[in-house]
Amino acid sequence: MKARSRSSNADSRLSVRKTKAEKDPNKPKRPPSAFFVFMEQFRKDYKEKHPNVKQVSVIGKAGGDKWKSMSDADKAPFVAKAEKLKAEYTKKIDAYNNKQAGGPATSGDSDKSKSEVNDEDEGSGDE
């Protein structure tokens, strides 16, 4: 009987967590790290050399082992590409955040001027 009471408590905790905010499908995806940029190329090469291997775990393990054995000079092109993708992501996420906040404040209309216009409109409606 104690096990049931524990499970009901766990269920009540789980039900609280189920109410999670929906993700915005328009939000830009985070950029891949240098390792994932490397793995994208490694998977293609590995599948060409070993067409019979279908297990994802085997390919992932081989890629991880190769990444660990690579020198910093060998990793440099992947790191550079990852940094470039991160810079593009930063621009996209800034634009997305500005759009979510109602647009950039430098568009000519500041928040203060909008509120002053709204106050004037409200004031003229009372008269």
Side-chain angles (χ1 to χ4, degrees), residues 32-93:
S33 66
F35 173 71
F36 284 102
V37 172
F38 161 75
M39 281 301 291
E40 185 178 332
Q41 181 64 39
F42 180 80
R43 281 187 204 99
K44 291 176 189 173
D45 296 341
Y46 193 85
K47 286 181 181 181
E48 288 176 6
K49 293 177 184 176
H50 308 284
N52 296 331
V53 176
K54 302 291 182 190
Q55 295 174 328
V56 176
S57 61
V58 172
I59 298 169
K61 186 149 181 92
D65 291 341
K66 180 160 184 175
W67 180 258
K68 288 177 186 175
S69 67
M70 291 172 67
S71 67
D72 288 340
D74 293 336
K75 293 179 185 180
F78 303 109
V79 172
K81 186 173 180 181
E83 287 176 1
K84 180 181 173 188
L85 292 172
K86 186 174 183 178
E88 290 174 10
Y89 167 77
T90 304
K91 290 177 186 174
K92 288 179 183 178
I93 199 72

Short mmCIF file of all heavy atoms in Angstrom, two decimals, residues 32-93:
data_model
loop_
_atom_site.label_atom_id
_atom_site.label_comp_id
_atom_site.label_asym_id
_atom_site.label_seq_id
_atom_site.Cartn_x
_atom_site.Cartn_y
_atom_site.Cartn_z
N PRO A 32 25.44 24.05 -34.60
CA PRO A 32 26.18 22.87 -34.14
C PRO A 32 27.58 23.25 -33.65
O PRO A 32 28.17 24.21 -34.13
CB PRO A 32 26.25 21.99 -35.38
CG PRO A 32 26.13 22.93 -36.52
CD PRO A 32 25.26 24.06 -36.04
N SER A 33 28.09 22.47 -32.73
CA SER A 33 29.45 22.68 -32.25
C SER A 33 30.43 22.15 -33.30
O SER A 33 30.03 21.53 -34.29
CB SER A 33 29.67 21.96 -30.93
OG SER A 33 29.59 20.56 -31.13
N ALA A 34 31.71 22.38 -33.08
CA ALA A 34 32.74 21.93 -34.02
C ALA A 34 32.69 20.41 -34.18
O ALA A 34 32.87 19.89 -35.28
CB ALA A 34 34.11 22.38 -33.55
N PHE A 35 32.41 19.70 -33.08
CA PHE A 35 32.35 18.24 -33.16
C PHE A 35 31.22 17.79 -34.08
O PHE A 35 31.39 16.87 -34.88
CB PHE A 35 32.17 17.65 -31.76
CG PHE A 35 31.94 16.16 -31.77
CD1 PHE A 35 32.96 15.29 -32.08
CD2 PHE A 35 30.70 15.64 -31.47
CE1 PHE A 35 32.77 13.92 -32.10
CE2 PHE A 35 30.49 14.27 -31.47
CZ PHE A 35 31.52 13.40 -31.79
N PHE A 36 30.06 18.43 -33.98
CA PHE A 36 28.94 18.02 -34.82
C PHE A 36 29.16 18.40 -36.28
O PHE A 36 28.69 17.71 -37.18
CB PHE A 36 27.63 18.60 -34.28
CG PHE A 36 27.15 17.86 -33.07
CD1 PHE A 36 27.32 18.39 -31.81
CD2 PHE A 36 26.54 16.63 -33.18
CE1 PHE A 36 26.91 17.70 -30.69
CE2 PHE A 36 26.12 15.93 -32.07
CZ PHE A 36 26.30 16.47 -30.82
N VAL A 37 29.87 19.50 -36.52
CA VAL A 37 30.25 19.85 -37.89
C VAL A 37 31.17 18.75 -38.44
O VAL A 37 31.03 18.31 -39.58
CB VAL A 37 30.93 21.23 -37.93
CG1 VAL A 37 31.50 21.52 -39.30
CG2 VAL A 37 29.95 22.32 -37.51
N PHE A 38 32.11 18.30 -37.62
CA PHE A 38 33.01 17.22 -38.01
C PHE A 38 32.23 15.92 -38.27
O PHE A 38 32.46 15.23 -39.26
CB PHE A 38 34.05 16.99 -36.90
CG PHE A 38 34.72 15.65 -36.97
CD1 PHE A 38 35.69 15.40 -37.92
CD2 PHE A 38 34.38 14.64 -36.08
CE1 PHE A 38 36.32 14.17 -37.99
CE2 PHE A 38 35.00 13.41 -36.14
CZ PHE A 38 35.97 13.17 -37.10
N MET A 39 31.29 15.61 -37.37
CA MET A 39 30.54 14.35 -37.49
C MET A 39 29.70 14.31 -38.76
O MET A 39 29.51 13.23 -39.34
CB MET A 39 29.64 14.13 -36.27
CG MET A 39 30.37 13.62 -35.06
SD MET A 39 31.22 12.04 -35.33
CE MET A 39 29.82 10.94 -35.51
N GLU A 40 29.21 15.45 -39.20
CA GLU A 40 28.42 15.50 -40.44
C GLU A 40 29.25 14.96 -41.61
O GLU A 40 28.78 14.14 -42.39
CB GLU A 40 28.00 16.94 -40.68
CG GLU A 40 27.07 17.13 -41.85
CD GLU A 40 26.65 18.58 -42.00
OE1 GLU A 40 26.61 19.31 -40.99
OE2 GLU A 40 26.35 18.97 -43.14
N GLN A 41 30.49 15.43 -41.72
CA GLN A 41 31.39 14.97 -42.78
C GLN A 41 31.85 13.54 -42.52
O GLN A 41 31.92 12.72 -43.43
CB GLN A 41 32.61 15.91 -42.89
CG GLN A 41 33.58 15.52 -43.97
CD GLN A 41 32.97 15.61 -45.35
OE1 GLN A 41 32.21 16.52 -45.63
NE2 GLN A 41 33.27 14.65 -46.20
N PHE A 42 32.14 13.21 -41.26
CA PHE A 42 32.65 11.89 -40.91
C PHE A 42 31.63 10.79 -41.25
O PHE A 42 32.00 9.73 -41.75
CB PHE A 42 33.01 11.82 -39.42
CG PHE A 42 33.55 10.49 -39.00
CD1 PHE A 42 34.87 10.15 -39.25
CD2 PHE A 42 32.73 9.57 -38.36
CE1 PHE A 42 35.36 8.91 -38.87
CE2 PHE A 42 33.22 8.33 -37.98
CZ PHE A 42 34.54 8.00 -38.24
N ARG A 43 30.35 11.06 -40.97
CA ARG A 43 29.30 10.06 -41.26
C ARG A 43 29.28 9.71 -42.74
O ARG A 43 29.15 8.54 -43.11
CB ARG A 43 27.93 10.58 -40.83
CG ARG A 43 27.69 10.46 -39.37
CD ARG A 43 26.23 10.82 -39.04
NE ARG A 43 26.14 11.24 -37.68
CZ ARG A 43 26.12 12.50 -37.26
NH1 ARG A 43 26.12 13.48 -38.12
NH2 ARG A 43 26.05 12.78 -35.98
N LYS A 44 29.37 10.73 -43.60
CA LYS A 44 29.36 10.49 -45.04
C LYS A 44 30.54 9.62 -45.45
O LYS A 44 30.38 8.63 -46.18
CB LYS A 44 29.41 11.82 -45.80
CG LYS A 44 28.16 12.64 -45.67
CD LYS A 44 28.33 13.98 -46.37
CE LYS A 44 27.16 14.89 -46.07
NZ LYS A 44 27.38 16.25 -46.61
N ASP A 45 31.73 9.98 -44.97
CA ASP A 45 32.93 9.22 -45.32
C ASP A 45 32.86 7.80 -44.79
O ASP A 45 33.23 6.84 -45.47
CB ASP A 45 34.18 9.91 -44.77
CG ASP A 45 34.41 11.28 -45.40
OD1 ASP A 45 33.84 11.54 -46.49
OD2 ASP A 45 35.15 12.08 -44.80
N TYR A 46 32.39 7.65 -43.55
CA TYR A 46 32.33 6.34 -42.91
C TYR A 46 31.35 5.42 -43.65
O TYR A 46 31.62 4.24 -43.85
CB TYR A 46 31.92 6.48 -41.44
CG TYR A 46 32.13 5.23 -40.62
CD1 TYR A 46 33.35 4.95 -40.05
CD2 TYR A 46 31.09 4.32 -40.42
CE1 TYR A 46 33.56 3.80 -39.30
CE2 TYR A 46 31.28 3.17 -39.68
CZ TYR A 46 32.52 2.91 -39.12
OH TYR A 46 32.71 1.78 -38.38
N LYS A 47 30.22 5.97 -44.06
CA LYS A 47 29.22 5.16 -44.77
C LYS A 47 29.72 4.72 -46.14
O LYS A 47 29.36 3.63 -46.62
CB LYS A 47 27.90 5.92 -44.91
CG LYS A 47 27.15 5.99 -43.61
CD LYS A 47 25.83 6.72 -43.76
CE LYS A 47 25.12 6.78 -42.42
NZ LYS A 47 23.82 7.46 -42.52
N GLU A 48 30.55 5.55 -46.79
CA GLU A 48 31.13 5.15 -48.07
C GLU A 48 32.12 4.01 -47.89
O GLU A 48 32.15 3.08 -48.69
CB GLU A 48 31.83 6.34 -48.73
CG GLU A 48 30.88 7.39 -49.26
CD GLU A 48 31.60 8.60 -49.83
OE1 GLU A 48 32.86 8.58 -49.91
OE2 GLU A 48 30.91 9.57 -50.16
N LYS A 49 32.94 4.08 -46.84
CA LYS A 49 33.94 3.05 -46.59
C LYS A 49 33.35 1.78 -46.01
O LYS A 49 33.86 0.69 -46.25
CB LYS A 49 35.03 3.58 -45.65
CG LYS A 49 35.86 4.68 -46.25
CD LYS A 49 36.86 5.22 -45.26
CE LYS A 49 37.63 6.39 -45.84
NZ LYS A 49 38.55 7.00 -44.88
N HIS A 50 32.29 1.91 -45.22
CA HIS A 50 31.66 0.77 -44.55
C HIS A 50 30.15 0.78 -44.83
O HIS A 50 29.35 1.11 -43.95
CB HIS A 50 31.89 0.84 -43.04
CG HIS A 50 33.32 1.02 -42.66
ND1 HIS A 50 34.23 0.00 -42.70
CD2 HIS A 50 34.02 2.10 -42.24
CE1 HIS A 50 35.42 0.44 -42.31
NE2 HIS A 50 35.32 1.73 -42.03
N PRO A 51 29.74 0.38 -46.05
CA PRO A 51 28.31 0.45 -46.39
C PRO A 51 27.43 -0.53 -45.62
O PRO A 51 26.22 -0.33 -45.52
CB PRO A 51 28.29 0.16 -47.89
CG PRO A 51 29.54 -0.59 -48.16
CD PRO A 51 30.55 -0.10 -47.16
N ASN A 52 28.02 -1.58 -45.05
CA ASN A 52 27.22 -2.59 -44.36
C ASN A 52 26.90 -2.21 -42.91
O ASN A 52 26.02 -2.80 -42.30
CB ASN A 52 27.92 -3.95 -44.38
CG ASN A 52 28.05 -4.48 -45.80
OD1 ASN A 52 27.23 -4.18 -46.65
ND2 ASN A 52 29.08 -5.26 -46.04
N VAL A 53 27.62 -1.24 -42.36
CA VAL A 53 27.40 -0.84 -40.97
C VAL A 53 26.21 0.11 -40.92
O VAL A 53 26.22 1.18 -41.51
CB VAL A 53 28.66 -0.16 -40.39
CG1 VAL A 53 28.39 0.33 -38.98
CG2 VAL A 53 29.84 -1.11 -40.41
N LYS A 54 25.15 -0.32 -40.21
CA LYS A 54 23.94 0.48 -40.11
C LYS A 54 23.72 1.00 -38.70
O LYS A 54 22.82 1.81 -38.47
CB LYS A 54 22.71 -0.35 -40.53
CG LYS A 54 22.78 -0.90 -41.93
CD LYS A 54 22.68 0.20 -42.96
CE LYS A 54 22.70 -0.39 -44.36
NZ LYS A 54 22.83 0.61 -45.39
N GLN A 55 24.51 0.56 -37.74
CA GLN A 55 24.29 0.95 -36.35
C GLN A 55 24.85 2.36 -36.10
O GLN A 55 26.02 2.63 -36.35
CB GLN A 55 24.96 -0.04 -35.40
CG GLN A 55 24.35 -1.42 -35.47
CD GLN A 55 25.13 -2.41 -34.64
OE1 GLN A 55 26.34 -2.28 -34.49
NE2 GLN A 55 24.43 -3.38 -34.08
N VAL A 56 23.97 3.21 -35.57
CA VAL A 56 24.36 4.58 -35.29
C VAL A 56 25.43 4.62 -34.20
O VAL A 56 26.36 5.43 -34.26
CB VAL A 56 23.12 5.40 -34.86
CG1 VAL A 56 23.50 6.81 -34.46
CG2 VAL A 56 22.10 5.43 -35.98
N SER A 57 25.32 3.73 -33.24
CA SER A 57 26.28 3.74 -32.12
C SER A 57 27.69 3.43 -32.59
O SER A 57 28.66 4.00 -32.09
CB SER A 57 25.85 2.74 -31.05
OG SER A 57 25.81 1.43 -31.57
N VAL A 58 27.82 2.55 -33.55
CA VAL A 58 29.15 2.19 -34.06
C VAL A 58 29.77 3.39 -34.79
O VAL A 58 30.94 3.72 -34.59
CB VAL A 58 29.05 0.97 -35.01
CG1 VAL A 58 30.38 0.71 -35.70
CG2 VAL A 58 28.59 -0.25 -34.25
N ILE A 59 28.97 4.06 -35.60
CA ILE A 59 29.45 5.22 -36.34
C ILE A 59 29.82 6.35 -35.38
O ILE A 59 30.86 6.99 -35.51
CB ILE A 59 28.40 5.68 -37.37
CG1 ILE A 59 28.14 4.56 -38.39
CG2 ILE A 59 28.85 6.95 -38.08
CD1 ILE A 59 26.94 4.81 -39.29
N GLY A 60 28.97 6.58 -34.39
CA GLY A 60 29.23 7.62 -33.40
C GLY A 60 30.47 7.37 -32.59
O GLY A 60 31.26 8.28 -32.32
N LYS A 61 30.66 6.12 -32.21
CA LYS A 61 31.85 5.77 -31.42
C LYS A 61 33.12 5.95 -32.26
O LYS A 61 34.12 6.49 -31.77
CB LYS A 61 31.74 4.33 -30.92
CG LYS A 61 32.84 3.93 -29.98
CD LYS A 61 32.36 2.93 -28.98
CE LYS A 61 33.43 2.55 -28.02
NZ LYS A 61 33.42 3.36 -26.82
N ALA A 62 33.07 5.53 -33.51
CA ALA A 62 34.23 5.69 -34.39
C ALA A 62 34.53 7.17 -34.60
O ALA A 62 35.70 7.59 -34.60
CB ALA A 62 33.98 5.00 -35.73
N GLY A 63 33.49 7.98 -34.77
CA GLY A 63 33.69 9.42 -34.94
C GLY A 63 34.26 10.07 -33.70
O GLY A 63 35.15 10.93 -33.80
N GLY A 64 33.78 9.69 -32.54
CA GLY A 64 34.30 10.22 -31.29
C GLY A 64 35.75 9.87 -31.08
O GLY A 64 36.56 10.70 -30.64
N ASP A 65 36.11 8.63 -31.39
CA ASP A 65 37.50 8.20 -31.25
C ASP A 65 38.43 8.98 -32.19
O ASP A 65 39.51 9.39 -31.80
CB ASP A 65 37.63 6.70 -31.53
CG ASP A 65 36.98 5.86 -30.44
OD1 ASP A 65 36.77 6.39 -29.32
OD2 ASP A 65 36.70 4.67 -30.70
N LYS A 66 37.95 9.18 -33.42
CA LYS A 66 38.78 9.92 -34.38
C LYS A 66 38.92 11.38 -33.93
O LYS A 66 40.01 11.95 -34.02
CB LYS A 66 38.17 9.86 -35.77
CG LYS A 66 39.00 10.62 -36.77
CD LYS A 66 38.74 10.24 -38.19
CE LYS A 66 39.73 11.01 -39.06
NZ LYS A 66 39.67 10.65 -40.43
N TRP A 67 37.83 12.00 -33.43
CA TRP A 67 37.88 13.39 -32.97
C TRP A 67 38.89 13.56 -31.83
O TRP A 67 39.65 14.51 -31.81
CB TRP A 67 36.49 13.84 -32.54
CG TRP A 67 36.42 15.25 -32.05
CD1 TRP A 67 36.35 15.66 -30.76
CD2 TRP A 67 36.42 16.44 -32.84
NE1 TRP A 67 36.29 17.03 -30.69
CE2 TRP A 67 36.33 17.54 -31.96
CE3 TRP A 67 36.49 16.69 -34.20
CZ2 TRP A 67 36.31 18.86 -32.40
CZ3 TRP A 67 36.46 18.01 -34.64
CH2 TRP A 67 36.37 19.07 -33.73
N LYS A 68 38.88 12.58 -30.92
CA LYS A 68 39.81 12.65 -29.78
C LYS A 68 41.26 12.52 -30.24
O LYS A 68 42.16 13.13 -29.65
CB LYS A 68 39.51 11.54 -28.77
CG LYS A 68 38.24 11.76 -27.98
CD LYS A 68 37.98 10.60 -27.07
CE LYS A 68 36.65 10.73 -26.36
NZ LYS A 68 36.34 9.55 -25.55
N SER A 69 41.50 11.74 -31.27
CA SER A 69 42.86 11.52 -31.72
C SER A 69 43.38 12.63 -32.64
O SER A 69 44.57 12.70 -32.91
CB SER A 69 42.96 10.19 -32.46
OG SER A 69 42.23 10.24 -33.67
N MET A 70 42.50 13.52 -33.08
CA MET A 70 42.91 14.61 -33.98
C MET A 70 43.64 15.70 -33.20
O MET A 70 43.34 15.97 -32.04
CB MET A 70 41.69 15.22 -34.68
CG MET A 70 41.04 14.30 -35.68
SD MET A 70 39.49 14.95 -36.32
CE MET A 70 40.02 16.35 -37.24
N SER A 71 44.59 16.35 -33.87
CA SER A 71 45.30 17.47 -33.25
C SER A 71 44.45 18.74 -33.43
O SER A 71 43.49 18.76 -34.20
CB SER A 71 46.66 17.66 -33.91
OG SER A 71 46.49 18.10 -35.24
N ASP A 72 44.84 19.79 -32.71
CA ASP A 72 44.12 21.06 -32.83
C ASP A 72 44.19 21.61 -34.25
O ASP A 72 43.25 22.23 -34.73
CB ASP A 72 44.68 22.09 -31.84
CG ASP A 72 44.30 21.76 -30.41
OD1 ASP A 72 43.34 20.99 -30.20
OD2 ASP A 72 44.97 22.28 -29.49
N ALA A 73 45.29 21.38 -34.92
CA ALA A 73 45.44 21.84 -36.30
C ALA A 73 44.47 21.12 -37.23
O ALA A 73 43.92 21.71 -38.16
CB ALA A 73 46.87 21.63 -36.77
N ASP A 74 44.24 19.83 -36.96
CA ASP A 74 43.29 19.05 -37.76
C ASP A 74 41.86 19.50 -37.50
O ASP A 74 41.01 19.45 -38.38
CB ASP A 74 43.42 17.56 -37.46
CG ASP A 74 44.75 16.98 -37.91
OD1 ASP A 74 45.37 17.56 -38.82
OD2 ASP A 74 45.16 15.95 -37.35
N LYS A 75 41.59 19.93 -36.27
CA LYS A 75 40.24 20.36 -35.90
C LYS A 75 39.94 21.78 -36.35
O LYS A 75 38.78 22.19 -36.39
CB LYS A 75 40.08 20.29 -34.37
CG LYS A 75 40.12 18.89 -33.80
CD LYS A 75 39.98 18.93 -32.29
CE LYS A 75 40.13 17.56 -31.68
NZ LYS A 75 40.00 17.60 -30.22
N ALA A 76 40.96 22.55 -36.70
CA ALA A 76 40.81 23.97 -37.00
C ALA A 76 39.73 24.29 -38.04
O ALA A 76 38.94 25.21 -37.83
CB ALA A 76 42.14 24.57 -37.41
N PRO A 77 39.66 23.57 -39.18
CA PRO A 77 38.62 23.92 -40.16
C PRO A 77 37.20 23.73 -39.61
O PRO A 77 36.30 24.50 -39.92
CB PRO A 77 38.87 22.99 -41.34
CG PRO A 77 40.02 22.14 -41.00
CD PRO A 77 40.54 22.52 -39.67
N PHE A 78 37.03 22.73 -38.78
CA PHE A 78 35.71 22.47 -38.20
C PHE A 78 35.36 23.53 -37.15
O PHE A 78 34.21 23.98 -37.05
CB PHE A 78 35.66 21.07 -37.59
CG PHE A 78 35.99 19.99 -38.58
CD1 PHE A 78 37.18 19.29 -38.49
CD2 PHE A 78 35.12 19.68 -39.61
CE1 PHE A 78 37.50 18.29 -39.40
CE2 PHE A 78 35.42 18.69 -40.54
CZ PHE A 78 36.62 18.00 -40.43
N VAL A 79 36.35 23.95 -36.39
CA VAL A 79 36.15 25.00 -35.39
C VAL A 79 35.80 26.31 -36.08
O VAL A 79 34.90 27.03 -35.66
CB VAL A 79 37.40 25.14 -34.49
CG1 VAL A 79 37.29 26.35 -33.58
CG2 VAL A 79 37.63 23.88 -33.69
N ALA A 80 36.50 26.61 -37.19
CA ALA A 80 36.24 27.84 -37.93
C ALA A 80 34.83 27.85 -38.51
O ALA A 80 34.12 28.87 -38.43
CB ALA A 80 37.27 28.01 -39.05
N LYS A 81 34.40 26.72 -39.06
CA LYS A 81 33.05 26.64 -39.62
C LYS A 81 32.01 26.77 -38.52
O LYS A 81 30.98 27.43 -38.70
CB LYS A 81 32.87 25.33 -40.38
CG LYS A 81 31.56 25.24 -41.10
CD LYS A 81 31.45 24.03 -41.99
CE LYS A 81 30.11 24.00 -42.70
NZ LYS A 81 29.95 22.83 -43.55
N ALA A 82 32.26 26.18 -37.37
CA ALA A 82 31.33 26.27 -36.24
C ALA A 82 31.22 27.71 -35.75
O ALA A 82 30.13 28.18 -35.43
CB ALA A 82 31.76 25.35 -35.12
N GLU A 83 32.35 28.43 -35.72
CA GLU A 83 32.33 29.83 -35.30
C GLU A 83 31.54 30.69 -36.29
O GLU A 83 30.82 31.60 -35.91
CB GLU A 83 33.75 30.36 -35.14
CG GLU A 83 34.44 29.82 -33.91
CD GLU A 83 35.90 30.26 -33.78
OE1 GLU A 83 36.38 31.02 -34.67
OE2 GLU A 83 36.54 29.85 -32.81
N LYS A 84 31.68 30.38 -37.57
CA LYS A 84 30.94 31.12 -38.60
C LYS A 84 29.44 30.87 -38.44
O LYS A 84 28.64 31.81 -38.50
CB LYS A 84 31.40 30.66 -39.99
CG LYS A 84 30.72 31.34 -41.13
CD LYS A 84 31.20 30.82 -42.46
CE LYS A 84 30.39 31.40 -43.60
NZ LYS A 84 30.70 30.78 -44.89
N LEU A 85 29.06 29.62 -38.20
CA LEU A 85 27.65 29.29 -37.99
C LEU A 85 27.11 29.96 -36.72
O LEU A 85 25.96 30.40 -36.69
CB LEU A 85 27.46 27.78 -37.91
CG LEU A 85 27.71 27.01 -39.22
CD1 LEU A 85 27.70 25.51 -38.96
CD2 LEU A 85 26.67 27.38 -40.25
N LYS A 86 27.95 30.06 -35.70
CA LYS A 86 27.53 30.71 -34.46
C LYS A 86 27.31 32.20 -34.67
O LYS A 86 26.37 32.79 -34.13
CB LYS A 86 28.57 30.49 -33.36
CG LYS A 86 28.12 31.00 -32.02
CD LYS A 86 29.09 30.65 -30.92
CE LYS A 86 28.55 31.14 -29.58
NZ LYS A 86 29.43 30.79 -28.47
N ALA A 87 28.16 32.83 -35.47
CA ALA A 87 28.00 34.25 -35.77
C ALA A 87 26.70 34.50 -36.52
O ALA A 87 25.96 35.46 -36.23
CB ALA A 87 29.19 34.76 -36.58
N GLU A 88 26.37 33.63 -37.49
CA GLU A 88 25.11 33.75 -38.22
C GLU A 88 23.93 33.56 -37.27
O GLU A 88 22.93 34.27 -37.36
CB GLU A 88 25.06 32.71 -39.34
CG GLU A 88 26.02 32.98 -40.47
CD GLU A 88 26.04 31.86 -41.50
OE1 GLU A 88 25.18 30.95 -41.43
OE2 GLU A 88 26.92 31.87 -42.37
N TYR A 89 24.04 32.59 -36.37
CA TYR A 89 22.98 32.33 -35.40
C TYR A 89 22.77 33.54 -34.49
O TYR A 89 21.63 33.91 -34.20
CB TYR A 89 23.33 31.11 -34.55
CG TYR A 89 22.46 30.94 -33.34
CD1 TYR A 89 21.17 30.43 -33.45
CD2 TYR A 89 22.92 31.29 -32.07
CE1 TYR A 89 20.37 30.29 -32.34
CE2 TYR A 89 22.13 31.15 -30.96
CZ TYR A 89 20.84 30.63 -31.09
OH TYR A 89 20.06 30.50 -29.98
N THR A 90 23.86 34.17 -34.08
CA THR A 90 23.75 35.34 -33.21
C THR A 90 22.97 36.45 -33.89
O THR A 90 22.11 37.08 -33.27
CB THR A 90 25.16 35.85 -32.82
OG1 THR A 90 25.88 34.78 -32.22
CG2 THR A 90 25.09 37.00 -31.85
N LYS A 91 23.22 36.67 -35.18
CA LYS A 91 22.48 37.68 -35.94
C LYS A 91 21.00 37.31 -36.02
O LYS A 91 20.13 38.15 -35.83
CB LYS A 91 23.05 37.83 -37.35
CG LYS A 91 24.42 38.48 -37.38
CD LYS A 91 24.95 38.53 -38.80
CE LYS A 91 26.38 39.03 -38.84
NZ LYS A 91 26.94 38.97 -40.19
N LYS A 92 20.73 36.04 -36.31
CA LYS A 92 19.34 35.60 -36.45
C LYS A 92 18.58 35.69 -35.13
O LYS A 92 17.43 36.10 -35.09
CB LYS A 92 19.28 34.15 -36.96
CG LYS A 92 19.67 34.01 -38.41
CD LYS A 92 19.61 32.55 -38.83
CE LYS A 92 20.07 32.36 -40.25
NZ LYS A 92 20.06 30.95 -40.65
N ILE A 93 19.22 35.30 -34.03
CA ILE A 93 18.54 35.32 -32.73
C ILE A 93 18.32 36.75 -32.26
O ILE A 93 17.30 37.05 -31.63
CB ILE A 93 19.28 34.46 -31.68
CG1 ILE A 93 18.36 34.11 -30.52
CG2 ILE A 93 20.50 35.15 -31.15
CD1 ILE A 93 17.30 33.11 -30.84
#
